[in-house]
């Protein structure tokens, strides 16, 4: 990885952090938040999901079954392919996949969240007309407030299963 790529990735992460600090659109409530940014050959995603929607509670796990539920959720969310899947034509390869939750700490303070950070290097970014979001099938109907940032600007969109594909620009990937 060269210095330019590291600077670009850092810049995209900063952009996502600033956007996240601003918060989701009004009325997001118990929705999850997915932020996607495409710049050059880098695709970056940041995910925030309410713990109560993922495992059914937002406090420290009370028993082995709840600890396993947290562990299983982190294992699934820790793999980019279960969260966001770029179109195959873009030839993207995962360069970062990470998930965490305050539920693994000693005294989590509600409300708690699961968060994920993911990055891809895309050999053919012009072919990245859309991404599939397999996560939507896992989170059982929870909507995702999705922010898409790219060459066409930025837009918020609410997505939920069964619709699991979101365009990365103004074009319709299913046309």
């Amino acid at each position: 990885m060269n210095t330019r790529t590291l600077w670009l990735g850092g810049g995209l992460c900063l952009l996502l952090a600033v956007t996240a600090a601003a918060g989701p659109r009004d009325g997001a409530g118990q929705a999850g938040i997915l932020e996607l940014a495409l710049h050059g050959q880098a695709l970056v995603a940041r995910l925030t999901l309410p713990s109560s929607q993922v495992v059914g509670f937002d406090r420290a796990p009370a028993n082995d079954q709840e600890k396993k539920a947290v562990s299983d959720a982190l294992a699934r969310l820790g793999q980019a392919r279960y969260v966001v899947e770029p179109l195959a034509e873009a030839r993207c390869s995962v360069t970062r996949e990470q998930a965490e939750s305050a539920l693994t700490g000693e005294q989590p303070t509600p409300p708690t969240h699961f968060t994920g950070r993911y990055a891809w290097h895309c050999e053919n970014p012009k072919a990245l007309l859309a991404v599939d979001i397999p996560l939507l099938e896992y989170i059982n109907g929870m909507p995702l407030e999705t922010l898409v940032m790219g060459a066409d600007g930025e837009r918020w969109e609410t997505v939920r299963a069964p619709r699991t594909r979101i365009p990365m620009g103004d074009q319709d990937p299913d046309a």
Side-chain angles (χ1 to χ4, degrees), residues 136-137 141-142 159-164:
L136 289 167
E137 295 171 4
M142 181 191 347
V159 292
R160 71 176 70 215
R163 179 179 166 228
T164 60

Side-chain angles (χ1 to χ4, degrees), residues 4-173:
R4 182 175 183 266
T5 304
L6 288 172
W7 277 102
L8 177 62
L12 287 171
C13 288
L14 178 61
L15 177 62
L16 289 174
V18 168
T19 304
R25 292 188 299 179
D26 291 339
Q30 286 294 309
I33 301 167
L34 176 64
E35 298 161 303
L36 297 164
L38 177 63
H39 185 65
Q41 292 183 294
L43 173 64
V44 179
R46 179 179 167 146
L47 175 69
T48 304
L49 298 172
S51 297
S52 60
Q53 297 290 340
V54 177
V55 293
F57 54 91
D58 67 353
R59 49 158 173 73
N63 56 45
D64 288 341
Q65 182 178 0
E66 289 182 352
K67 288 177 186 175
K68 182 172 177 7
V70 171
S71 176
D72 289 350
L74 284 171
R76 183 172 191 89
L77 295 173
Q79 294 186 48
R81 68 181 180 185
Y82 293 131
V83 179
V84 173
E85 189 68 33
L87 291 182
E89 297 83 4
R91 296 188 313 274
C92 299
S93 55
V94 174
T95 58
R96 179 180 186 181
E97 51 188 8
Q98 172 189 2
E100 57 191 22
S101 174
L103 294 179
T104 59
E106 300 243 346
Q107 295 291 330
T109 304
T112 59
H113 297 87
F114 283 83
T115 58
R117 291 176 181 79
Y118 315 92
W120 296 260
H121 173 80
C122 301
E123 291 179 31
N124 186 14
K126 290 184 183 200
L128 189 60
L129 302 179
V131 297
D132 290 316
I133 308 172
L135 171 71
L136 289 167
E137 295 171 4
Y138 171 68
I139 57 177
N140 299 321
M142 181 191 347
L144 279 178
E145 292 291 330
T146 305
L147 174 63
V148 178
M149 297 174 274
D152 296 335
E154 64 179 57
R155 74 178 190 288
W156 281 100
E157 190 170 337
T158 302
V159 292
R160 71 176 70 215
R163 179 179 166 228
T164 60
R165 178 169 285 184
I166 187 163
M168 287 301 294
D170 290 335
Q171 65 278 40
D172 182 358

